[in-house]
Amino acid sequence: MRIGVLTAGGDCPGLNAVIRSVVHRAMTGHGDEVIGFEDGFKGLLDGHYRPLDLDSVSGILARGGTILGSARLERGRLREAAESADELGRKYGIDALIPIGGEGTLTAARMLSDAGMPVVGVPKTIDNDISSTDRTFGFDTAVMVATEAIDRLKTTAESHQRVMVVEVMGRHAGWIALESGMAGGAHGICLPERPFEVDSIVKMVEERFARGKKFAVICVAEGAHPAEGSMHYAKGEIDQFGHERFEGIGNRLAGELERRLGKEARPVILGHVQRGGTPTAYDRVLATRFGWHAVEAVHNGDFGRMTALHGTRVAMVPLAEAVTRLKTVPENRMFEAESVF
Amino acid sequence: MRIGVLTAGGDCPGLNAVIRSVVHRAMTGHGDEVIGFEDGFKGLLDGHYRPLDLDSVSGILARGGTILGSARLERGRLREAAESADELGRKYGIDALIPIGGEGTLTAARMLSDAGMPVVGVPKTIDNDISSTDRTFGFDTAVMVATEAIDRLKTTAESHQRVMVVEVMGRHAGWIALESGMAGGAHGICLPERPFEVDSIVKMVEERFARGKKFAVICVAEGAHPAEGSMHYAKGEIDQFGHERFEGIGNRLAGELERRLGKEARPVILGHVQRGGTPTAYDRVLATRFGWHAVEAVHNGDFGRMTALHGTRVAMVPLAEAVTRLKTVPENRMFEAESVF
Amino acid sequence: MRIGVLTAGGDCPGLNAVIRSVVHRAMTGHGDEVIGFEDGFKGLLDGHYRPLDLDSVSGILARGGTILGSARLERGRLREAAESADELGRKYGIDALIPIGGEGTLTAARMLSDAGMPVVGVPKTIDNDISSTDRTFGFDTAVMVATEAIDRLKTTAESHQRVMVVEVMGRHAGWIALESGMAGGAHGICLPERPFEVDSIVKMVEERFARGKKFAVICVAEGAHPAEGSMHYAKGEIDQFGHERFEGIGNRLAGELERRLGKEARPVILGHVQRGGTPTAYDRVLATRFGWHAVEAVHNGDFGRMTALHGTRVAMVPLAEAVTRLKTVPENRMFEAESVF
Amino acid sequence: MRIGVLTAGGDCPGLNAVIRSVVHRAMTGHGDEVIGFEDGFKGLLDGHYRPLDLDSVSGILARGGTILGSARLERGRLREAAESADELGRKYGIDALIPIGGEGTLTAARMLSDAGMPVVGVPKTIDNDISSTDRTFGFDTAVMVATEAIDRLKTTAESHQRVMVVEVMGRHAGWIALESGMAGGAHGICLPERPFEVDSIVKMVEERFARGKKFAVICVAEGAHPAEGSMHYAKGEIDQFGHERFEGIGNRLAGELERRLGKEARPVILGHVQRGGTPTAYDRVLATRFGWHAVEAVHNGDFGRMTALHGTRVAMVPLAEAVTRLKTVPENRMFEAESVF
């Protein structure tokens, strides 16, 4: 068989581990040929690809980024791809396509699949917000990076009797904030899933200072937002639903807390360091298993599906199921986290 | 309520995170009192314990080891404990005991539970070999440490055209070898679950050298053993089942490979670094959740059970179920790993 | 003897290692008593201090922050301290004071010393900008954190054909930018010591893209500023010398580059993670040696001086010499760095 | 000009950084050509080399090992090389050779230089035992790896009231043991430079246990040896000087301590993880500077010398001076270290 593989969407530690695993399993396990499209779906449409063999994927397991590159594609061109799915398959002589990507990519994968292309998806998101899978690779690395940062910030906060506000990634789902906040022992966690009350943060910090713990670390997802009227000083934009939204919530919250508490409050915006670089062992294993199972699915004719972690097992789930809704942090996980502040 | 907590068995990253979580949840969530027995069951029998409050557990989340200490207890004294389970509960005025430990500890916990003590166990093992739970805390840290070592060794192996044999922990189950071998991109993995053929390792290395990859890294669990007659030079002990067993399999295998291959082969025995020190973010989160759920189980009267990870959920499973058999690496996981060598 | 110790100024990895070393050397080497003033000079003036013994410093070697706390003191109160230096010494019955801190602290130390207090300083700055010493502890840790971040960002930059602008600490001296930029293999480094030309950065990036290296990482010290008229889009404040200065140079430069290059350019502001948390081995050793030699200096009556690293040797240099001028990055070090972009 | 470069001797983090720096500086700074000989002096004698350009050294700065390979060469063949030094230079058309290596390599470099070849050496040793330079690259990484291991082992030692003996590299000089022991807060350090008394270690551990610190970590250089008659149980080999020497001193010492103390004592042999893998930021900077200055020396005709760190400056020192004697740990550094146990 001849299998095409591509990576699309934002950077995510573990992409190279999937590519390597696909090539190894396909070539040494099944005698397949593998080609890699460059810069995501763009390479598929524009005919930019290269053959991949064991040498091309040598030494990439622990490397961040993606050797195939990744780029955004306009919606219009994706529809174009879907319309010519059949033809594209013939053009490259591929029997199957393995796109590795996040929600957008998997939606595109589904379109191609519906249009007749034999597709097996591999989900990827550092945000961990794809349904139907317990976890996605990249998430563990992002949490590790954020946790190490919180570990470092705590000692500064403590030495200077200061409040630190750490903004981590997570626009729509707060998994990174939840788990790095728990792992780092943050004293408050703000998630996109539930508007936070500035008053309760202020109260928590004041209680800590009162009992001699003269510092606090608050972990905030970039998509978190305060409850209506909860910010007194900072002003946000009013969005289409009439809600007040804050760009750069970390900076805003730190400013607000400093004025309300009369104590130093400093923001730290972690940014892109969370999504690049060498993956954790956990992510390398998960990515490798996903690549392996994607190739098996191709050989089982198990198309229109994506790999998913269910407990300790890698399962295949319908793409349709995966992309219908975001996996957000449930109420009980927030409750657990709050109990150990 | 008044809850007793103890840690028993070998060191494991995340023990302190469980203790901290138990204290936080019990005190701030339920207004309980918590006491900690020192040096495992020994403290319970000998009356060595101390009250634990928020201050006692401040700053321990990221610290390795256990603030309560841990020690082995002779089987005889455990039976003694079981016989006086009732009395012990009265003596300390505790309404429940939360023992945190591995297979031995959980077996002891079960004895105490059968003898009438209200017990909720928390499983702990860097080996990941406890049944009924997807994972145990400490394992992720051990795999991370082993993977970082393999990452480092690979460059030396490559620069010197050398074979490196890395011995990792895992006496009866090969999970650490499996996952660190996969994550580190080892070219061979030897597990206790299946005798390995030295011939196939020799062949694999020779094939690598033949295609210009002039180095190899083999990851060996300490409990791995060669197939009968598979070692030509090294000699092992004959065990009770008439099988040849090798103490220090890493050293033996390196010596054997060096003679068979006529190339330098060096052993590295990772040892105790795998079980100490600061836990990964993953382990801190899992340990924290286990502690939280153990306290909830106490309040739900859910005794004779232990916390377990099922997918993304923490469940309570009967102690009886957990300790009947070891969770070893199944055939399909070995197969996956071998395919990406 | 009775020795007082205090930490003042910003957080810096290694402060605890100095305190521990002072206590160990003074107590076990000389049979001294040690007291620690809380929150820097404030504790000295307000009488907040506590005795330090081996137990108080147990386990702090690898911990970030300072167990003694640190706080800013208004200039006025410092003068007050200097005026009553004699009296303060008598009040606490101390035979010597060891203040650990940066330029401000050492200046204060010098005032106290001139006023008659027996003072031995220990220099501290993550910025490495104190004269008369080859290096200060904390710097190596800051460079390590910044380098790890650049390592991570590079893979994202490469996968997305993007320019990344990393802003690191260094208001007046660019040592962190210089060394983390070199260690991380940045393609451009901007230091406070020399205005940078945006044009040359633009040219460098374009040349990289032209030869197929479709990404770039620029490492910018927070105190770096563009040559007059060099920024076309971003506008800065005009300072007292009539120069245009840019707050948040990382953000500004990324915005400018994005418009000039027509390519994505993203800023990452590392911030406080550079100054907290566990020190590197290098910094622990240097801090320990500084503490040791400070105690020896006290016993040698070598007052009005501070510890300094000269090659491999710890020497004592006059405080006067250390605080007269900042140690900035010399031209030849910039030249070295530029040659390996 | 045409410059040859080679790496010889054991693996050492930073080798690739030197190679990259040589290529960058030579090509972009001077318009030189660079060729790399494979597997050390072997490549020079056997004619195995390849041209190096910016692409060949792209992405290697942070990678451990050496892209040029390294191999031992028999003394005889080296003499052969020296005899034909002139001819070799002509054969490859090189105007200068930059060998990067340890004591053996630099001795060979000196022979070639004496025989008329234009040679500029770059010293390399994780052991830090080369004279005339404050530090060598690779050492900082080795100390970091060893320190992280000690950090991890301490928590296990403490939880289990155990003695841990960590054996680190250093056959003739104890720098790694000294600095990782200090940085890790070991309670005893044994160096090759001075026979250690088992009695004093036993006494130190007993005193610690007596004052409630029921654990200890001893850091032992592989080349350390006990004072005559100091080991009661373990037996060593009698060497040519009539001294008792112990292979595997870590294992021996742990066994001895266990019997003498009646407490668990466990050895951990760090081995090759200390010399492979990604270099620290410190080592990357030093290696890069050494490469840069080696090229400058070539252009200055400064032959028969090697790069050296003197304080903050890179200087050129005669090869003759560098290889005459080993730089061992001086008495005062041991004394400093012992004072903070």
Side-chain angles (χ1 to χ4, degrees), chain D residues 257-317:
Chain D
L257 289 176
E258 189 156 297
R259 296 182 78 166
R260 297 268 282 267
L261 288 160
K263 300 179 203 306
E264 275 188 305
R266 298 285 172 84
V268 173
I269 317 301
L270 288 187
H272 288 278
V273 285
Q274 293 162 86
R275 65 182 325 130
T278 192
T280 58
Y282 183 98
D283 280 339
R284 297 188 206 172
V285 171
L286 184 56
T288 299
R289 296 186 72 197
F290 274 6
W292 194 94
H293 284 272
V295 172
E296 292 310 288
V298 165
H299 281 270
N300 295 336
D302 212 357
F303 298 115
R305 292 169 179 264
M306 68 166 206
T307 57
L309 183 69
H310 287 177
T312 60
R313 215 166 49 81
V314 177
M316 300 306 300
V317 298

Side-chain angles (χ1 to χ4, degrees), chain B residues 9-11 64-66 69-70 141 144-145 149 152-153 155-156 159-160 162 164 266 268-270 272-273 275-278, chain D residues 9-11 64-66 69-70 141 144-145 149 152-153 155-156 159-160 162 164 266 268-270 272-273 275-278:
Chain B
D11 194 18
T66 158
S70 182
T141 305
M144 185 267 285
V145 170
R152 290 203 166 272
L153 294 169
T155 66
T156 297
S159 301
H160 289 281
R162 202 182 263 170
M164 295 296 234
R266 297 285 172 85
V268 173
I269 317 302
L270 288 187
H272 288 279
V273 286
R275 66 181 327 132
T278 193
Chain D
D11 194 18
T66 158
S70 182
T141 306
M144 185 267 284
V145 169
R152 290 205 167 273
L153 293 170
T155 66
T156 298
S159 302
H160 289 282
R162 202 181 263 171
M164 296 296 235
R266 298 285 172 84
V268 173
I269 317 301
L270 288 187
H272 288 278
V273 285
R275 65 182 325 130
T278 192

